[in-house]
Amino acid sequence: VRAYAVDLTRKGINDKDQRKVTALLRYTASLENAGDVICKTMIGIPEAMKKEGKCFSEAGKEELNSLFRYLIGNTQLSAEVIMAWNQDTARILVQRKRELKTMCHDSSRQHINRLSDGVSNAMESSSAHLDLISDMRWINTQVASIGYDVLPETDASGDEIADLMVAHHP
């Protein structure tokens, strides 16, 4: 992708296309960083827990699965944004990024409540649960960053439009 982008810039492109190429390069770097976090951190967490005979509580497992599925959806949407360069889709992505952030906060809060309530497995999986939430939130920020590149600089966030579109999006 980098070689292709550099080749494009050597051919002489207008400012609008230069902005897209720059965004593409940032996006690929973000995906590489996200991949590093997955490979170097996230994959090791369940493996370490298994070796230590630890497991997540059922509620914690459900929360993590839900966050992961939402993150996968945002990753797929970010690919659509980079391919189509569509501002409406970018607004949805930015809104979904914020929604995952809220979901992560909620999951952390629910996890703390489980700790307070003495739920089995919550204490032994606490670090892993919170680490995975943090990693998913960081990856989400990386993959959703392309949404900001596609939106015009004068468009602060598009929250109102994104709310409407998400409500009507299948």
Side-chain angles (χ1 to χ4, degrees), residues 93-110:
L93 178 61
V94 168
Q95 180 61 33
R96 284 181 55 96
K97 173 195 175 280
R98 291 185 180 115
E99 289 168 1
L100 185 72
K101 177 182 175 183
T102 300
M103 291 168 67
C104 287
H105 284 299
D106 291 346
S107 181
S108 295
R109 230 180 355 266
Q110 290 168 2

Side-chain angles (χ1 to χ4, degrees), residues 8-19:
L8 284 176
T9 61
R10 287 186 182 141
K11 294 179 180 177
I13 56 177
N14 62 36
D15 288 342
K16 180 181 175 185
D17 288 339
Q18 179 64 46
R19 183 174 170 231

Side-chain angles (χ1 to χ4, degrees), residues 17-71:
D17 288 339
Q18 179 64 46
R19 183 174 170 231
K20 287 181 180 180
V21 168
T22 302
L24 177 63
L25 289 171
R26 274 195 306 266
Y27 179 70
T28 57
S30 293
L31 289 181
E32 283 182 52
N33 289 331
D36 289 344
V37 169
I38 292 167
C39 291
K40 295 177 183 173
T41 306
M42 291 181 77
I43 289 176
I45 291 173
E47 290 173 358
M49 286 180 65
K50 186 175 181 180
K51 281 182 186 176
E52 297 169 10
K54 297 177 180 179
C55 60
F56 294 107
S57 68
E58 285 305 312
K61 200 181 314 182
E62 284 180 34
E63 288 169 17
L64 291 170
N65 284 335
S66 178
L67 290 169
F68 186 70
R69 284 190 305 272
Y70 206 84
L71 175 59

Side-chain angles (χ1 to χ4, degrees), residues 19-20 22-27 30 81-82 85 87 90 94 144-153:
R19 183 174 170 231
K20 287 181 180 180
T22 302
L24 177 63
L25 289 171
R26 274 195 306 266
Y27 179 70
S30 293
V81 169
I82 194 73
W85 207 262
Q87 291 179 9
V94 168
S145 65
I146 190 62
Y148 295 101
D149 286 322
V150 172
L151 292 174
E153 290 180 27

